[in-house]
Structure formats: C-alpha cells, structure tokens
Amino acid sequence: MAERRVSLDDLAAEAAAVWRSARPHAVVWLCGELGTGKTTFAQAVTRAARARPARSPTYALVHEYTSPEGAIIHVDCYRLRHPDEALDLDFPDLERRARLLLIEWPERAGRHAPRPDVRITLAHADAPDRRLLERSA
C-alpha cells in the first residue's frame, strides 16, 4: 500500500480497522521514528477493542490489555541494547496468548521478533497533527 498523509483521527480509524481485520494471534509491527505516533496507534487499537487505554510501554517493555475478544499485548523494544535481549520477552508465548500482538521498534529485536501480519510505518508530515502512514502485509 502506498504511503498516505493522515490526520490523528485517520490514524485512529486505521488502528480500528487493523483491530477488526486482524486474525487471532496476529502480529503488528509499529515502525517509525520517535514521536511519529506508534504509541498513539496502540492506544487507538485498545480503544477500538474496548480495552483500557494503552500506556507508553517504554519503561515496562510489555503491557497487556484485556478486551472482550482477548488480550492485546503491547511490546516496546526501544530500550533493547542488543537483539538477544529480546529472548527474555518470550515472543512465542506472547504471540500464543495475544489476540493481537503490537510490537514497537521490532527492528531492535532482530531475528527474535515474530514476522508481522501487518506492518504500520509512521513518519512525520508537514504539520504537527499529520503523519505519513504506510500499511503493508
């Protein structure tokens, strides 16, 4: 899919669409520079799923949110200093338990990050309330 310029409301709609269309145990990679909206996207997913709102997981690497349809597990790999540190996260177990597994900064987990069903790439745009969004499978 081509990159699109979106508003923050559009970002929330895209997150809701990902939630509705994702198969059980799906993995979503959230990629992009700091401040582009990866956590905002995760928060919109939890709202769409009727779960308690997501927090930024930068200090606790893993947060789990319960929704009526199953768990949303949100992982932030930003603080990993080496990909092998991702082994401690036990991605296979997280993937098994999650209705949806959201992974921010998956590249920092290297080969240990499960392959994505959906990859969301966000970038800064020309206005503070706009983002460039690319969704790929």
Side-chain angles (χ1 to χ4, degrees), residues 18-28 95 98-101 114-118:
V18 166
W19 170 251
R20 285 190 308 272
S21 66
R23 66 166 178 76
H25 311 290
V27 175
V28 177
E95 194 173 356
R99 157 66 172 79
L100 186 69
L101 178 58
R115 293 183 55 86
D117 296 287
V118 176

Side-chain angles (χ1 to χ4, degrees), residues 65-133:
Y65 305 96
T66 303
S67 85
E69 295 179 47
I72 300 162
I73 299 178
H74 181 199
V75 180
D76 187 336
C77 297
Y78 182 75
R79 288 190 13 230
L80 297 180
R81 294 172 303 228
H82 188 276
D84 286 345
E85 291 179 337
L87 291 170
D88 293 336
L89 298 173
D90 195 0
F91 277 119
D93 180 61
L94 295 177
E95 194 173 356
R96 267 190 306 280
R97 291 188 301 120
R99 157 66 172 79
L100 186 69
L101 178 58
L102 301 168
I103 305 173
E104 292 190 41
W105 299 96
E107 63 279 1
R108 293 194 178 209
R111 62 186 170 83
H112 305 297
R115 293 183 55 86
D117 296 287
V118 176
R119 179 185 176 123
I120 301 293
T121 303
L122 296 162
H124 295 285
D126 54 355
D129 64 339
R130 301 285 176 186
R131 298 295 182 269
L132 300 176
L133 181 145

